[in-house]
Amino acid sequence: MASLAERKAYREKIMQALYETTEGNRLLGVTGAKLVHDLGIHEEDLAAACTYLVGEEMITVDWETGNTPAMVSLTHQGIRRMEAEEEHG
């Protein structure tokens, strides 16, 4: 099981990867398999991070059987958060 610091880092990595890959377009998404591969996150940790971010209304997820994210997309709120970080970063 991932530590709190690792879980927070996974969530940030996912948000950043989605924002960079989709260029802030909420109509585009990234597959869970691509996130696992590109970010080096275990599927279980990806699922947990995505569940958290869905709860925070930052992303939407289309789930496959077995709680595996099939497609992950930023919500309007998620895009606004990433844009605010980019402006102040």
Side-chain angles (χ1 to χ4, degrees):
M1 178 166 234
S3 69
L4 177 60
E6 289 170 327
R7 292 191 308 266
K8 286 183 174 183
Y10 294 156
R11 295 190 291 250
E12 273 309 307
K13 285 180 181 181
I14 291 166
M15 291 294 292
Q16 193 65 42
L18 288 171
Y19 185 67
E20 289 175 2
T21 303
T22 64
E23 298 177 345
N25 184 339
R26 64 186 290 189
L27 299 177
L28 301 176
V30 178
T31 65
K34 180 169 175 47
L35 290 171
V36 166
H37 179 266
D38 291 355
L39 302 178
I41 299 174
H42 294 288
E43 283 187 21
E44 301 82 22
D45 293 326
L46 177 67
C50 286
T51 300
Y52 179 93
L53 292 169
V54 166
E56 293 292 307
E57 299 181 354
M58 295 291 166
I59 65 171
T60 58
V61 178
D62 293 330
W63 296 95
E64 291 180 354
T65 307
N67 294 328
T68 303
M71 184 62 64
V72 184
S73 305
L74 288 170
T75 62
H76 179 74
Q77 185 171 326
I79 292 167
R80 288 183 60 206
R81 177 184 155 206
M82 296 308 295
E83 288 175 346
E85 286 184 13
E86 186 176 359
E87 286 175 353
H88 299 101

